[in-house]
Amino acid sequence: MPLPLLFPFRIDFPDDVQDKKGFIEAWLGHKEALELVETEKVSASIEKEEGVIQLRKFTSDERVQERQLLGLSPACLKDCFPRLDTGDALDVIGPPLLTAKNSLKDGEPKENNESDRFSTLAGQEILDILSGHTILASFPENAPEEGYAPWSLRYSGHQFGQWAGQLGDGRAISILEVANAESPTGAYEMQLKGAGRTPFSRSADGLAVVRSSVREYLCAEAMHALGVPTTRSLALAHLPTLPVLRERVEKAAIVTRVAPSFIRIGSFQALNPPEQMFFLGGGQQSADLDALRILGEYTA
């Protein structure tokens, strides 16, 4: 699940704690988005083979991270999610411009104040979900295998010209599939990049910084406009109070990427890796040809 936190984790252990591993698990568990957000309506629904799954919003009282919506792509909304209700989100952040000025009187830059906050539930929901603060999920008590929750993919592949074994989505978390007849797969998948650690992060923090996130947000949409096949950019969220440790301390951001599917060649390689090859990588698992067949049939 999305969990943007400073890593390595900053945890103050009480003096009487003996099981530090258990304490860490409990500390993280309190921050997981497992508390149902009560609303008057279902937040979303998806169609699966077992029928329509109603999705609800979940969060945690300990998720107090400040969040801002810096960008929302009208073109991506129109092409991929024409029925998505964004409330007043586009009005709050204003139209895309190539200058630092907007349409206010006298051309003065817009200041951040109380009036900048979303006045509609849909606008706030867009920010909460695309910043990793809230998740959409279904947790059936009697049939957990039929539930729905965010996911990251395992894959294998090469790095720096060498086979690196198992890699996986180290900072990418898919959150939703939305049906769209114009998509090659019949749906578009939303994925948060920089929303925190995943099971495949290894020693990394799973976060992204503002400078690289702005670059991806703009370049992906520019490449699409030029006719170059690529992922799309739906939104750019900023977490101004979350520090990210790189060459220097920077601020965190999350890009919402969109694609018909994020399955890649490495997804197949993870299930049928090369044999008798020495590599320094992330614990490649043994071949699973039955799973490879299922993945191939699903992809086809």
Side-chain angles (χ1 to χ4, degrees):
M1 292 185 184
L3 187 60
L5 290 174
L6 178 65
F7 184 82
F9 301 128
R10 305 302 197 259
I11 301 176
D12 294 325
F13 294 100
D15 295 336
D16 58 346
V17 169
Q18 300 295 325
D19 181 10
K20 289 190 174 182
K21 182 178 179 180
F23 186 89
I24 294 172
E25 290 294 331
W27 184 85
L28 289 171
H30 288 303
K31 299 179 184 299
E32 289 282 7
L34 299 175
E35 300 171 14
L36 178 65
V37 178
E38 297 293 344
T39 59
E40 296 181 357
K41 63 176 183 177
V42 175
S43 297
S45 63
I46 58 171
E47 293 186 6
K48 290 295 199 180
E49 293 181 359
E50 57 270 22
V52 176
I53 298 178
Q54 306 293 342
L55 303 182
R56 304 278 183 175
K57 293 189 301 181
F58 293 83
T59 188
S60 168
D61 288 340
E62 295 196 23
R63 293 194 171 203
V64 295
Q65 195 77 252
E66 182 181 346
R67 50 205 183 277
Q68 302 170 354
L69 188 63
L70 298 185
L72 187 63
S73 170
C76 185
L77 279 170
K78 178 182 177 181
D79 295 342
C80 304
F81 310 108
R83 298 175 60 187
L84 180 63
D85 183 3
T86 61
D88 60 342
L90 287 171
D91 296 330
V92 170
I93 59 180
L97 297 174
L98 296 178
T99 67
K101 295 186 177 182
N102 56 27
S103 58
L104 294 182
K105 292 181 179 181
D106 302 324
E108 291 297 327
K110 186 177 181 181
E111 296 181 358
N112 292 324
N113 52 46
E114 292 295 322
S115 64
D116 291 343
R117 295 184 178 180
F118 300 109
S119 59
T120 64
L121 176 61
Q124 188 62 47
E125 284 182 331
I126 286 290
L127 173 59
D128 289 345
I129 293 170
L130 300 187
S131 65
H133 177 270
T134 303
I135 70 165
L136 293 173
S138 173
F139 301 120
E141 295 183 2
N142 300 326
E145 69 280 358
E146 297 179 3
Y148 191 93
W151 68 95
S152 295
L153 291 182
R154 177 169 74 96
Y155 60 83
S156 299
H158 293 75
Q159 285 186 326
F160 314 110
Q162 302 292 326
W163 176 255
Q166 178 174 299
L167 300 170
D169 290 329
R171 59 175 177 174
I173 304 171
S174 293
I175 58 171
L176 188 65
E177 301 161 290
V178 178
N180 188 317
E182 300 299 320
S183 168
T185 62
Y188 281 109
E189 184 176 325
M190 289 187 192
Q191 185 182 82
L192 304 184
K193 181 177 181 180
R197 286 175 54 79
T198 77
F200 311 108
S201 296
R202 291 179 279 183
S203 60
D205 57 18
L207 303 175
V209 299
V210 173
R211 55 183 171 84
S212 61
S213 299
V214 169
R215 183 167 61 241
E216 177 167 352
Y217 175 76
L218 295 176
C219 288
E221 287 299 278
M223 291 173 65
H224 171 77
L226 293 171
V228 179
T230 181
T231 57
R232 300 293 301 273
S233 296
L234 174 62
L236 175 63
H238 179 35
L239 306 178
T241 59
L242 176 58
V244 183
L245 307 180
R246 296 294 184 260
E247 290 81 3
R248 62 181 189 276
V249 178
E250 303 187 50
K251 299 301 182 182
I254 298 175
V255 176
T256 302
R257 304 194 295 185
V258 177
S261 173
F262 286 96
I263 294 175
R264 61 181 78 195
I265 295 297
S267 304
F268 295 88
Q269 291 177 308
L271 300 174
N272 189 25
E275 299 179 353
Q276 298 179 346
M277 178 177 290
F278 175 78
F279 64 93
L280 298 175
Q284 177 65 57
Q285 298 182 29
S286 301
D288 188 338
L289 300 183
D290 188 51
L292 180 65
R293 175 187 59 80
I294 294 173
L295 177 62
E297 292 175 350
Y298 171 81
T299 304

PDB file of all heavy atoms in Angstrom, residues 154-159 162-168 199-203 270 277-286:
ATOM      1  N   ARG A 154       6.295  -7.926  -9.386  1.00  0.00           N
ATOM      2  CA  ARG A 154       7.624  -8.537  -9.383  1.00  0.00           C
ATOM      3  C   ARG A 154       8.077  -8.723 -10.823  1.00  0.00           C
ATOM      4  O   ARG A 154       7.317  -9.161 -11.680  1.00  0.00           O
ATOM      5  CB  ARG A 154       7.576  -9.901  -8.677  1.00  0.00           C
ATOM      6  CG  ARG A 154       8.907 -10.653  -8.686  1.00  0.00           C
ATOM      7  CD  ARG A 154       8.835 -11.843  -7.751  1.00  0.00           C
ATOM      8  NE  ARG A 154       8.041 -12.947  -8.260  1.00  0.00           N
ATOM      9  CZ  ARG A 154       8.551 -14.002  -8.890  1.00  0.00           C
ATOM     10  NH1 ARG A 154       9.856 -14.089  -9.103  1.00  0.00           N
ATOM     11  NH2 ARG A 154       7.767 -14.976  -9.291  1.00  0.00           N
ATOM     12  N   TYR A 155       9.316  -8.382 -11.103  1.00  0.00           N
ATOM     13  CA  TYR A 155       9.879  -8.645 -12.430  1.00  0.00           C
ATOM     14  C   TYR A 155      11.390  -8.817 -12.295  1.00  0.00           C
ATOM     15  O   TYR A 155      11.986  -8.468 -11.264  1.00  0.00           O
ATOM     16  CB  TYR A 155       9.546  -7.527 -13.427  1.00  0.00           C
ATOM     17  CG  TYR A 155      10.048  -6.148 -13.066  1.00  0.00           C
ATOM     18  CD1 TYR A 155      11.352  -5.746 -13.349  1.00  0.00           C
ATOM     19  CD2 TYR A 155       9.207  -5.232 -12.433  1.00  0.00           C
ATOM     20  CE1 TYR A 155      11.800  -4.483 -13.018  1.00  0.00           C
ATOM     21  CE2 TYR A 155       9.647  -3.966 -12.091  1.00  0.00           C
ATOM     22  CZ  TYR A 155      10.949  -3.592 -12.395  1.00  0.00           C
ATOM     23  OH  TYR A 155      11.393  -2.341 -12.049  1.00  0.00           O
ATOM     24  N   SER A 156      11.984  -9.372 -13.311  1.00  0.00           N
ATOM     25  CA  SER A 156      13.436  -9.556 -13.345  1.00  0.00           C
ATOM     26  C   SER A 156      13.985  -8.868 -14.590  1.00  0.00           C
ATOM     27  O   SER A 156      13.224  -8.422 -15.449  1.00  0.00           O
ATOM     28  CB  SER A 156      13.791 -11.049 -13.361  1.00  0.00           C
ATOM     29  OG  SER A 156      13.321 -11.692 -12.200  1.00  0.00           O
ATOM     30  N   GLY A 157      15.296  -8.781 -14.675  1.00  0.00           N
ATOM     31  CA  GLY A 157      15.853  -8.139 -15.862  1.00  0.00           C
ATOM     32  C   GLY A 157      17.319  -7.796 -15.721  1.00  0.00           C
ATOM     33  O   GLY A 157      18.023  -8.310 -14.842  1.00  0.00           O
ATOM     34  N   HIS A 158      17.759  -6.922 -16.610  1.00  0.00           N
ATOM     35  CA  HIS A 158      19.153  -6.507 -16.680  1.00  0.00           C
ATOM     36  C   HIS A 158      19.323  -5.100 -16.112  1.00  0.00           C
ATOM     37  O   HIS A 158      18.431  -4.262 -16.225  1.00  0.00           O
ATOM     38  CB  HIS A 158      19.649  -6.525 -18.127  1.00  0.00           C
ATOM     39  CG  HIS A 158      19.726  -7.889 -18.719  1.00  0.00           C
ATOM     40  ND1 HIS A 158      18.597  -8.596 -19.115  1.00  0.00           N
ATOM     41  CD2 HIS A 158      20.793  -8.688 -18.982  1.00  0.00           C
ATOM     42  CE1 HIS A 158      18.971  -9.772 -19.607  1.00  0.00           C
ATOM     43  NE2 HIS A 158      20.282  -9.856 -19.540  1.00  0.00           N
ATOM     44  N   GLN A 159      20.463  -4.855 -15.526  1.00  0.00           N
ATOM     45  CA  GLN A 159      20.870  -3.525 -15.110  1.00  0.00           C
ATOM     46  C   GLN A 159      22.321  -3.322 -15.490  1.00  0.00           C
ATOM     47  O   GLN A 159      23.163  -4.203 -15.242  1.00  0.00           O
ATOM     48  CB  GLN A 159      20.696  -3.330 -13.601  1.00  0.00           C
ATOM     49  CG  GLN A 159      19.254  -3.132 -13.158  1.00  0.00           C
ATOM     50  CD  GLN A 159      19.143  -2.797 -11.683  1.00  0.00           C
ATOM     51  OE1 GLN A 159      19.931  -3.273 -10.865  1.00  0.00           O
ATOM     52  NE2 GLN A 159      18.171  -1.975 -11.325  1.00  0.00           N
ATOM     53  N   GLN A 162      24.048  -6.135 -17.387  1.00  0.00           N
ATOM     54  CA  GLN A 162      24.232  -7.436 -16.759  1.00  0.00           C
ATOM     55  C   GLN A 162      22.904  -7.943 -16.206  1.00  0.00           C
ATOM     56  O   GLN A 162      22.064  -7.157 -15.753  1.00  0.00           O
ATOM     57  CB  GLN A 162      25.253  -7.348 -15.605  1.00  0.00           C
ATOM     58  CG  GLN A 162      26.616  -6.837 -16.020  1.00  0.00           C
ATOM     59  CD  GLN A 162      27.346  -7.823 -16.924  1.00  0.00           C
ATOM     60  OE1 GLN A 162      27.199  -9.026 -16.780  1.00  0.00           O
ATOM     61  NE2 GLN A 162      28.145  -7.296 -17.848  1.00  0.00           N
ATOM     62  N   TRP A 163      22.714  -9.266 -16.234  1.00  0.00           N
ATOM     63  CA  TRP A 163      21.528  -9.859 -15.632  1.00  0.00           C
ATOM     64  C   TRP A 163      21.554  -9.598 -14.132  1.00  0.00           C
ATOM     65  O   TRP A 163      22.528  -9.902 -13.448  1.00  0.00           O
ATOM     66  CB  TRP A 163      21.476 -11.355 -15.914  1.00  0.00           C
ATOM     67  CG  TRP A 163      20.328 -12.053 -15.240  1.00  0.00           C
ATOM     68  CD1 TRP A 163      20.383 -12.861 -14.148  1.00  0.00           C
ATOM     69  CD2 TRP A 163      18.950 -11.981 -15.623  1.00  0.00           C
ATOM     70  NE1 TRP A 163      19.126 -13.297 -13.820  1.00  0.00           N
ATOM     71  CE2 TRP A 163      18.221 -12.778 -14.705  1.00  0.00           C
ATOM     72  CE3 TRP A 163      18.258 -11.331 -16.638  1.00  0.00           C
ATOM     73  CZ2 TRP A 163      16.844 -12.933 -14.782  1.00  0.00           C
ATOM     74  CZ3 TRP A 163      16.886 -11.487 -16.714  1.00  0.00           C
ATOM     75  CH2 TRP A 163      16.193 -12.289 -15.802  1.00  0.00           C
ATOM     76  N   ALA A 164      20.477  -9.009 -13.606  1.00  0.00           N
ATOM     77  CA  ALA A 164      20.445  -8.599 -12.203  1.00  0.00           C
ATOM     78  C   ALA A 164      19.476  -9.423 -11.372  1.00  0.00           C
ATOM     79  O   ALA A 164      19.285  -9.141 -10.190  1.00  0.00           O
ATOM     80  CB  ALA A 164      20.077  -7.120 -12.114  1.00  0.00           C
ATOM     81  N   GLY A 165      18.831 -10.417 -11.971  1.00  0.00           N
ATOM     82  CA  GLY A 165      17.899 -11.233 -11.211  1.00  0.00           C
ATOM     83  C   GLY A 165      16.604 -10.505 -10.925  1.00  0.00           C
ATOM     84  O   GLY A 165      16.132  -9.679 -11.709  1.00  0.00           O
ATOM     85  N   GLN A 166      16.004 -10.803  -9.771  1.00  0.00           N
ATOM     86  CA  GLN A 166      14.724 -10.195  -9.425  1.00  0.00           C
ATOM     87  C   GLN A 166      14.890  -8.725  -9.064  1.00  0.00           C
ATOM     88  O   GLN A 166      15.775  -8.361  -8.296  1.00  0.00           O
ATOM     89  CB  GLN A 166      14.085 -10.934  -8.256  1.00  0.00           C
ATOM     90  CG  GLN A 166      12.756 -10.324  -7.816  1.00  0.00           C
ATOM     91  CD  GLN A 166      12.068 -11.154  -6.754  1.00  0.00           C
ATOM     92  OE1 GLN A 166      11.736 -12.304  -6.976  1.00  0.00           O
ATOM     93  NE2 GLN A 166      11.865 -10.555  -5.580  1.00  0.00           N
ATOM     94  N   LEU A 167      14.039  -7.894  -9.631  1.00  0.00           N
ATOM     95  CA  LEU A 167      14.041  -6.463  -9.348  1.00  0.00           C
ATOM     96  C   LEU A 167      12.688  -6.079  -8.738  1.00  0.00           C
ATOM     97  O   LEU A 167      12.516  -6.113  -7.551  1.00  0.00           O
ATOM     98  CB  LEU A 167      14.323  -5.672 -10.630  1.00  0.00           C
ATOM     99  CG  LEU A 167      15.671  -5.989 -11.292  1.00  0.00           C
ATOM    100  CD1 LEU A 167      15.769  -5.355 -12.666  1.00  0.00           C
ATOM    101  CD2 LEU A 167      16.810  -5.528 -10.402  1.00  0.00           C
ATOM    102  N   GLY A 168      11.706  -5.763  -9.572  1.00  0.00           N
ATOM    103  CA  GLY A 168      10.375  -5.429  -9.071  1.00  0.00           C
ATOM    104  C   GLY A 168      10.153  -3.934  -8.927  1.00  0.00           C
ATOM    105  O   GLY A 168      11.081  -3.127  -8.999  1.00  0.00           O
ATOM    106  N   PRO A 199       7.418  -4.281  -1.351  1.00  0.00           N
ATOM    107  CA  PRO A 199       8.189  -5.493  -1.052  1.00  0.00           C
ATOM    108  C   PRO A 199       9.447  -5.641  -1.907  1.00  0.00           C
ATOM    109  O   PRO A 199      10.281  -6.499  -1.628  1.00  0.00           O
ATOM    110  CB  PRO A 199       7.194  -6.623  -1.352  1.00  0.00           C
ATOM    111  CG  PRO A 199       5.857  -6.007  -1.144  1.00  0.00           C
ATOM    112  CD  PRO A 199       5.998  -4.604  -1.635  1.00  0.00           C
ATOM    113  N   PHE A 200       9.599  -4.794  -2.939  1.00  0.00           N
ATOM    114  CA  PHE A 200      10.736  -4.918  -3.852  1.00  0.00           C
ATOM    115  C   PHE A 200      11.687  -3.732  -3.748  1.00  0.00           C
ATOM    116  O   PHE A 200      12.535  -3.536  -4.626  1.00  0.00           O
ATOM    117  CB  PHE A 200      10.221  -5.051  -5.291  1.00  0.00           C
ATOM    118  CG  PHE A 200       9.141  -6.091  -5.448  1.00  0.00           C
ATOM    119  CD1 PHE A 200       7.828  -5.715  -5.661  1.00  0.00           C
ATOM    120  CD2 PHE A 200       9.441  -7.443  -5.341  1.00  0.00           C
ATOM    121  CE1 PHE A 200       6.830  -6.667  -5.791  1.00  0.00           C
ATOM    122  CE2 PHE A 200       8.450  -8.398  -5.457  1.00  0.00           C
ATOM    123  CZ  PHE A 200       7.139  -8.019  -5.677  1.00  0.00           C
ATOM    124  N   SER A 201      11.582  -2.946  -2.684  1.00  0.00           N
ATOM    125  CA  SER A 201      12.406  -1.742  -2.560  1.00  0.00           C
ATOM    126  C   SER A 201      13.836  -2.043  -2.125  1.00  0.00           C
ATOM    127  O   SER A 201      14.713  -1.197  -2.267  1.00  0.00           O
ATOM    128  CB  SER A 201      11.770  -0.769  -1.553  1.00  0.00           C
ATOM    129  OG  SER A 201      10.525  -0.306  -2.000  1.00  0.00           O
ATOM    130  N   ARG A 202      14.044  -3.237  -1.561  1.00  0.00           N
ATOM    131  CA  ARG A 202      15.369  -3.586  -1.008  1.00  0.00           C
ATOM    132  C   ARG A 202      15.802  -2.519   0.000  1.00  0.00           C
ATOM    133  O   ARG A 202      15.088  -2.256   0.950  1.00  0.00           O
ATOM    134  CB  ARG A 202      16.370  -3.811  -2.139  1.00  0.00           C
ATOM    135  CG  ARG A 202      16.063  -5.067  -2.947  1.00  0.00           C
ATOM    136  CD  ARG A 202      17.039  -5.287  -4.086  1.00  0.00           C
ATOM    137  NE  ARG A 202      16.707  -4.467  -5.241  1.00  0.00           N
ATOM    138  CZ  ARG A 202      17.379  -4.509  -6.392  1.00  0.00           C
ATOM    139  NH1 ARG A 202      18.422  -5.305  -6.515  1.00  0.00           N
ATOM    140  NH2 ARG A 202      17.013  -3.757  -7.389  1.00  0.00           N
ATOM    141  N   SER A 203      16.913  -1.845  -0.200  1.00  0.00           N
ATOM    142  CA  SER A 203      17.372  -0.868   0.788  1.00  0.00           C
ATOM    143  C   SER A 203      16.976   0.557   0.427  1.00  0.00           C
ATOM    144  O   SER A 203      17.402   1.504   1.090  1.00  0.00           O
ATOM    145  CB  SER A 203      18.903  -0.943   0.920  1.00  0.00           C
ATOM    146  OG  SER A 203      19.529  -0.652  -0.325  1.00  0.00           O
ATOM    147  N   ALA A 270      10.832 -13.084 -14.797  1.00  0.00           N
ATOM    148  CA  ALA A 270      10.819 -13.446 -13.384  1.00  0.00           C
ATOM    149  C   ALA A 270      10.311 -14.868 -13.180  1.00  0.00           C
ATOM    150  O   ALA A 270      10.672 -15.530 -12.197  1.00  0.00           O
ATOM    151  CB  ALA A 270       9.950 -12.469 -12.601  1.00  0.00           C
ATOM    152  N   MET A 277      23.526 -18.982 -14.256  1.00  0.00           N
ATOM    153  CA  MET A 277      24.114 -17.664 -14.498  1.00  0.00           C
ATOM    154  C   MET A 277      24.435 -17.024 -13.162  1.00  0.00           C
ATOM    155  O   MET A 277      23.568 -16.907 -12.287  1.00  0.00           O
ATOM    156  CB  MET A 277      23.162 -16.776 -15.300  1.00  0.00           C
ATOM    157  CG  MET A 277      23.704 -15.359 -15.532  1.00  0.00           C
ATOM    158  SD  MET A 277      22.610 -14.337 -16.543  1.00  0.00           S
ATOM    159  CE  MET A 277      22.790 -15.136 -18.131  1.00  0.00           C
ATOM    160  N   PHE A 278      25.683 -16.609 -12.984  1.00  0.00           N
ATOM    161  CA  PHE A 278      26.085 -15.941 -11.756  1.00  0.00           C
ATOM    162  C   PHE A 278      25.743 -14.462 -11.851  1.00  0.00           C
ATOM    163  O   PHE A 278      25.967 -13.818 -12.875  1.00  0.00           O
ATOM    164  CB  PHE A 278      27.595 -16.090 -11.532  1.00  0.00           C
ATOM    165  CG  PHE A 278      28.091 -15.315 -10.327  1.00  0.00           C
ATOM    166  CD1 PHE A 278      27.906 -15.808  -9.048  1.00  0.00           C
ATOM    167  CD2 PHE A 278      28.709 -14.083 -10.492  1.00  0.00           C
ATOM    168  CE1 PHE A 278      28.350 -15.095  -7.940  1.00  0.00           C
ATOM    169  CE2 PHE A 278      29.152 -13.370  -9.396  1.00  0.00           C
ATOM    170  CZ  PHE A 278      28.972 -13.882  -8.114  1.00  0.00           C
ATOM    171  N   PHE A 279      25.159 -13.922 -10.797  1.00  0.00           N
ATOM    172  CA  PHE A 279      24.825 -12.498 -10.805  1.00  0.00           C
ATOM    173  C   PHE A 279      24.733 -12.010  -9.371  1.00  0.00           C
ATOM    174  O   PHE A 279      24.532 -12.778  -8.433  1.00  0.00           O
ATOM    175  CB  PHE A 279      23.497 -12.235 -11.535  1.00  0.00           C
ATOM    176  CG  PHE A 279      22.306 -12.863 -10.874  1.00  0.00           C
ATOM    177  CD1 PHE A 279      21.536 -12.163  -9.958  1.00  0.00           C
ATOM    178  CD2 PHE A 279      21.949 -14.182 -11.150  1.00  0.00           C
ATOM    179  CE1 PHE A 279      20.439 -12.748  -9.348  1.00  0.00           C
ATOM    180  CE2 PHE A 279      20.852 -14.777 -10.545  1.00  0.00           C
ATOM    181  CZ  PHE A 279      20.096 -14.050  -9.648  1.00  0.00           C
ATOM    182  N   LEU A 280      24.890 -10.706  -9.230  1.00  0.00           N
ATOM    183  CA  LEU A 280      24.720 -10.046  -7.942  1.00  0.00           C
ATOM    184  C   LEU A 280      23.390  -9.304  -8.007  1.00  0.00           C
ATOM    185  O   LEU A 280      23.301  -8.202  -8.540  1.00  0.00           O
ATOM    186  CB  LEU A 280      25.880  -9.077  -7.671  1.00  0.00           C
ATOM    187  CG  LEU A 280      27.264  -9.713  -7.575  1.00  0.00           C
ATOM    188  CD1 LEU A 280      28.326  -8.638  -7.434  1.00  0.00           C
ATOM    189  CD2 LEU A 280      27.335 -10.695  -6.407  1.00  0.00           C
ATOM    190  N   GLY A 281      22.341  -9.914  -7.515  1.00  0.00           N
ATOM    191  CA  GLY A 281      21.014  -9.326  -7.663  1.00  0.00           C
ATOM    192  C   GLY A 281      20.152  -9.548  -6.456  1.00  0.00           C
ATOM    193  O   GLY A 281      20.628  -9.862  -5.370  1.00  0.00           O
ATOM    194  N   GLY A 282      18.849  -9.431  -6.672  1.00  0.00           N
ATOM    195  CA  GLY A 282      17.907  -9.404  -5.564  1.00  0.00           C
ATOM    196  C   GLY A 282      17.182 -10.696  -5.306  1.00  0.00           C
ATOM    197  O   GLY A 282      15.965 -10.702  -5.190  1.00  0.00           O
ATOM    198  N   GLY A 283      17.876 -11.827  -5.248  1.00  0.00           N
ATOM    199  CA  GLY A 283      17.230 -13.062  -4.831  1.00  0.00           C
ATOM    200  C   GLY A 283      16.261 -13.626  -5.835  1.00  0.00           C
ATOM    201  O   GLY A 283      15.060 -13.724  -5.555  1.00  0.00           O
ATOM    202  N   GLN A 284      16.737 -13.951  -7.016  1.00  0.00           N
ATOM    203  CA  GLN A 284      15.877 -14.517  -8.057  1.00  0.00           C
ATOM    204  C   GLN A 284      15.232 -15.820  -7.597  1.00  0.00           C
ATOM    205  O   GLN A 284      15.901 -16.707  -7.075  1.00  0.00           O
ATOM    206  CB  GLN A 284      16.692 -14.785  -9.326  1.00  0.00           C
ATOM    207  CG  GLN A 284      15.912 -15.444 -10.447  1.00  0.00           C
ATOM    208  CD  GLN A 284      14.805 -14.554 -10.971  1.00  0.00           C
ATOM    209  OE1 GLN A 284      15.064 -13.448 -11.400  1.00  0.00           O
ATOM    210  NE2 GLN A 284      13.576 -15.043 -10.933  1.00  0.00           N
ATOM    211  N   GLN A 285      13.921 -15.946  -7.793  1.00  0.00           N
ATOM    212  CA  GLN A 285      13.217 -17.160  -7.441  1.00  0.00           C
ATOM    213  C   GLN A 285      13.290 -18.166  -8.577  1.00  0.00           C
ATOM    214  O   GLN A 285      13.636 -17.839  -9.707  1.00  0.00           O
ATOM    215  CB  GLN A 285      11.751 -16.835  -7.117  1.00  0.00           C
ATOM    216  CG  GLN A 285      11.594 -15.899  -5.932  1.00  0.00           C
ATOM    217  CD  GLN A 285      10.136 -15.631  -5.596  1.00  0.00           C
ATOM    218  OE1 GLN A 285       9.277 -16.462  -5.841  1.00  0.00           O
ATOM    219  NE2 GLN A 285       9.857 -14.472  -5.030  1.00  0.00           N
ATOM    220  N   SER A 286      12.964 -19.412  -8.266  1.00  0.00           N
ATOM    221  CA  SER A 286      13.008 -20.483  -9.266  1.00  0.00           C
ATOM    222  C   SER A 286      11.910 -20.289 -10.302  1.00  0.00           C
ATOM    223  O   SER A 286      10.926 -19.570 -10.085  1.00  0.00           O
ATOM    224  CB  SER A 286      12.846 -21.840  -8.582  1.00  0.00           C
ATOM    225  OG  SER A 286      13.862 -22.047  -7.617  1.00  0.00           O
TER     226      SER A 286
END
